[in-house]
Amino acid sequence: MAIGSRYMYVLFCVIVSLTAHGIGAEKVLVVPPAISDSHWFPLASVGQALAGRGHEVTVVVSQDIVAKRRAERPDLRFESFLDQGSRARLEVMTGQMSEMAEQPVFRTMQHLHGGLKEMTRHCDLLLGDGDLMERLKQARFQVVITEPFISLCGAIVATHLGVPHVALLRGGPSGLDYQATGVPRPPSYVPSIISGFTDRMTFLQRAQNSVVSCLAQVMFQWLMKSMHYDQLRKYVGEEETLVGVLAKTDVWLYQMDPLLDLPRPSMPNMVNVGGILAREASPLPKDLELFMQSSGSAGVVVVSFGSQATTITPERAEVMAAAFAQLRQKVVWRYEGEKPAGLGKNTKIMAWLPQNDLLGHSKTRAFVTHAGSNGMFEALYHGVPMVCTPLGGDQHGNAARAVYRGLGVLLDFNTFTTETLYQAIMQVVTDKSYQETAARLSRLHRDQPQPPMERAVWWVEHVIKHGGLPHLRARAVELPWYQYYLLDVAVFLLGVCSAVLGTVWYSCLFVCRKICCKSVGKLKSQ
């Protein structure tokens, strides 16, 4: 009987622990943007980590991609809506981004405006799906996680549902996130996300950074306001603004790190989680492992342009293939398209790479990249020097700051030749300073009390636990502009100083006149 009672007690404890775990599970809604996979992966990874902790994570995606997303993330739940092909058109436009570098500014603006129109259509169809929105309301989510990079559709959904909001983003050219948090961003040492500057700028660079930051904010905010104006009025409120919606965000998870993004002002609800996708390397597939080991002491160069691999033209691919063929190292190249005629025997092309696992491999010597933030942080985590060839967006800034830290070299994607690419790769492979710097910064990046993913999950659960964190929001965003810049105080102090100085002046003048009058009277009497 004693043994039976003991087994019953153990069984009872197991049942209680499982039940308690189930009660602790909360409902999380993820609303990803309708753009490239590089923006989806961080959100999906955070959702996966939350699901691993027992939470019920639901993702809203368009009908045309829901099957692919389910296959990628079977642990997540999905809700879908018909977007009438807007997401697919946006994907094509994003893939053409590298071509915009050679186009006139007017053509680039037309391309951007067309993309924003598709984002507006995508968001309209999401918010306008009455059945979907009703299901989301009935589900009673505890938190909504979005990426308010350019489109603020997810933030509008969170406000419409009345659910606490967590933003996961790299940054944005509009500057709306900084306005919504009330944090200052001095252009004297905080470079614009689309610039190639560091925090050590010359006079001309500071002037250019100020102008670029201002113009980018004005342009993107105007475009975003026109994009979301009707949606705000219809689904949030007549008087609501984009800054007002974003100001309700409880926590901002920034995919940044002072090592690569440089120190800058922040608020208590702004948390750095740069390197959220980086992790220890997993074993490679057998055929890929054999290829890596066959490189011997020379090692391997990993080449990847992320989701923009499809944008590489055949002409550029031939230039790159010829440079890779000259290397002693083996090359693993993520490339989609017709096999280049000059492809060397040392080069293995693949439509998809286990990028993190390759960068963490002992045979990897260098990383040729477009300087997307995900790959850049994976290279930092594993201590791999880079050859940066940015294509657009924040990549020019990423590349400039990686070079500034001594992590690699910079090339212009549209103008490098076979020889200059070969020389750049050889420079980072043979010059020990790059390897040593990458290893040192990797140690610094890893030496944190919490890994970035654990920190992100902790903050999301912190928001869930307390139903929002309004005490972390700065009062700055609620102040009128003249109060924020203390213009009313300046006018008051100026008035007080003027009154005091005027009183002193007229008092002195009065005394002088009295003295002068007495002196004149004495002279006349004499």
Side-chain angles (χ1 to χ4, degrees):
M1 288 293 291
I3 295 176
S5 299
R6 189 180 305 164
Y7 282 131
M8 289 298 293
Y9 176 76
V10 172
L11 181 60
F12 174 78
C13 290
V14 171
I15 293 173
V16 168
S17 64
L18 290 174
T19 305
H21 181 72
I23 292 172
E26 303 292 353
K27 292 185 176 181
V28 178
L29 179 64
V30 177
V31 185
I35 44 182
S36 62
D37 284 347
S38 60
H39 294 265
W40 154 251
F41 290 146
L43 285 170
S45 298
V46 171
Q48 187 75 51
L50 289 166
R53 291 177 62 86
H55 300 292
E56 182 182 303
V57 181
T58 302
V59 185
V60 178
V61 295
S62 56
Q63 184 66 47
D64 67 322
I65 203 172
V66 67
K68 178 184 177 183
R69 296 297 188 230
R70 280 201 182 104
E72 292 172 348
R73 305 282 179 172
D75 295 334
L76 307 184
R77 300 188 178 194
F78 288 87
E79 288 279 1
S80 62
F81 65 100
L82 294 173
D83 75 337
Q84 300 179 5
S86 58
R87 187 208 61 81
R89 288 189 291 272
L90 268 170
E91 189 173 357
V92 172
M93 290 180 176
T94 303
Q96 296 170 345
M97 185 173 66
S98 62
E99 302 173 12
M100 292 296 106
E102 298 179 336
Q103 297 294 328
V105 175
F106 178 73
R107 179 74 181 87
T108 303
M109 289 299 298
Q110 280 186 321
H111 186 81
L112 177 61
H113 186 259
L116 291 174
K117 283 180 66 177
E118 292 298 339
M119 287 186 189
T120 304
R121 185 193 302 272
H122 188 272
C123 188
D124 279 335
L125 292 168
L126 191 163
L127 290 166
D129 190 327
D131 292 338
L132 170 63
M133 297 308 294
E134 185 60 30
R135 290 197 302 274
L136 297 182
K137 284 182 180 179
Q138 294 298 324
R140 299 184 181 280
F141 292 100
Q142 275 72 47
V143 68
V144 177
I145 306 175
T146 75
E147 195 219 42
F149 173 63
I150 292 181
S151 172
L152 305 187
C153 194
I156 294 174
V157 169
T159 305
H160 179 65
L161 297 177
V163 178
H165 176 222
V166 172
L168 174 68
L169 75 163
R170 171 75 176 150
S174 70
L176 282 171
D177 55 324
Y178 284 87
Q179 291 184 29
T181 54
V183 69
R185 187 168 62 171
S188 56
Y189 68 94
V190 179
S192 169
I193 192 173
I194 59 176
S195 77
F197 301 142
T198 68
D199 56 356
R200 297 180 183 274
M201 292 177 267
T202 64
F203 171 79
L204 290 178
Q205 287 175 336
R206 282 185 283 115
Q208 185 178 342
N209 187 54
S210 300
V211 173
V212 168
S213 298
C214 182
L215 290 179
Q217 287 183 31
V218 170
M219 180 185 70
F220 278 96
Q221 287 187 25
W222 178 78
L223 290 170
M224 293 170 72
K225 285 175 183 176
S226 63
M227 179 170 65
H228 291 299
Y229 178 77
D230 291 334
Q231 296 162 357
L232 286 173
R233 291 170 62 86
K234 185 174 181 180
Y235 299 104
V236 181
E238 292 285 335
E239 303 299 325
E240 192 58 271
T241 64
L242 291 179
V243 173
V245 167
L246 283 180
K248 295 179 176 65
T249 302
D250 292 278
V251 171
W252 297 80
L253 301 175
Y254 279 93
Q255 295 178 71
M256 293 183 175
D257 185 283
L259 281 173
L260 289 182
D261 297 294
L262 313 176
R264 60 188 66 200
S266 66
M267 290 291 179
N269 62 345
M270 299 170 68
V271 182
N272 284 337
V273 292
I276 200 169
L277 297 182
R279 64 188 187 283
E280 292 296 335
S282 299
L284 296 172
K286 187 175 181 180
D287 60 332
L288 190 53
E289 178 64 31
L290 289 173
F291 181 82
M292 298 291 287
Q293 294 298 336
S294 68
S295 64
S297 59
V300 176
V301 175
V302 178
V303 183
S304 177
F305 291 81
S307 57
Q308 294 179 356
T310 57
T311 68
I312 300 175
T313 63
E315 294 76 19
R316 287 279 86 193
E318 289 293 348
V319 171
M320 296 170 72
F324 300 153
Q326 298 179 32
L327 296 171
R328 291 178 54 246
Q329 290 75 22
K330 294 290 182 75
V331 178
V332 181
W333 181 12
R334 180 180 178 180
Y335 177 70
E336 298 181 53
E338 187 175 347
K339 181 179 177 180
L343 191 72
K345 294 182 179 180
N346 66 330
T347 305
K348 181 181 183 67
I349 57 175
M350 303 174 67
W352 178 84
L353 297 181
Q355 182 172 282
N356 180 80
D357 303 331
L358 283 169
L359 292 174
H361 199 281
S362 60
K363 293 291 186 180
T364 299
R365 301 290 183 263
F367 183 35
V368 179
T369 172
H370 63 309
S373 60
N374 294 333
M376 186 177 66
F377 274 111
E378 288 174 346
L380 172 65
Y381 181 87
H382 294 293
V384 179
M386 294 176 274
V387 175
C388 301
T389 60
L391 299 176
D394 66 338
Q395 297 159 16
H396 292 282
N398 294 342
R401 291 182 271 280
V403 172
Y404 171 66
R405 289 299 192 193
L407 280 169
V409 297
L410 175 65
L411 290 179
D412 187 325
F413 180 84
N414 296 300
T415 60
F416 70 67
T417 64
T418 294
E419 182 60 25
T420 56
L421 177 58
Y422 169 76
Q423 292 296 338
I425 296 173
M426 290 305 298
Q427 182 178 345
V428 299
V429 168
T430 58
D431 190 335
K432 291 184 178 179
S433 66
Y434 292 103
Q435 298 284 348
E436 292 170 355
T437 300
R440 178 176 59 83
L441 294 183
S442 174
R443 291 192 297 271
L444 277 172
H445 176 65
R446 290 185 182 220
D447 192 12
Q448 304 181 42
Q450 261 184 320
M453 180 59 78
E454 283 187 20
R455 188 156 59 247
V457 169
W458 186 91
W459 276 100
V460 173
E461 292 185 330
H462 191 53
V463 171
I464 293 172
K465 181 178 180 180
H466 299 284
L469 304 173
H471 65 286
L472 296 182
R473 300 176 198 158
R475 176 81 168 81
V477 72
E478 301 172 14
L479 298 175
W481 62 273
Y482 60 87
Q483 289 186 14
Y484 180 83
Y485 291 106
L486 291 176
L487 296 183
D488 52 346
V489 175
V491 169
F492 172 75
L493 293 177
L494 181 62
V496 170
C497 291
S498 299
V500 171
L501 290 174
T503 301
V504 172
W505 171 260
Y506 283 109
S507 298
C508 292
L509 191 62
F510 177 78
V511 171
C512 289
R513 284 178 178 176
K514 286 292 184 181
I515 294 173
C516 289
C517 288
K518 287 182 179 181
S519 299
V520 170
K522 286 181 179 180
L523 289 172
K524 285 183 178 181
S525 63
Q526 291 174 356

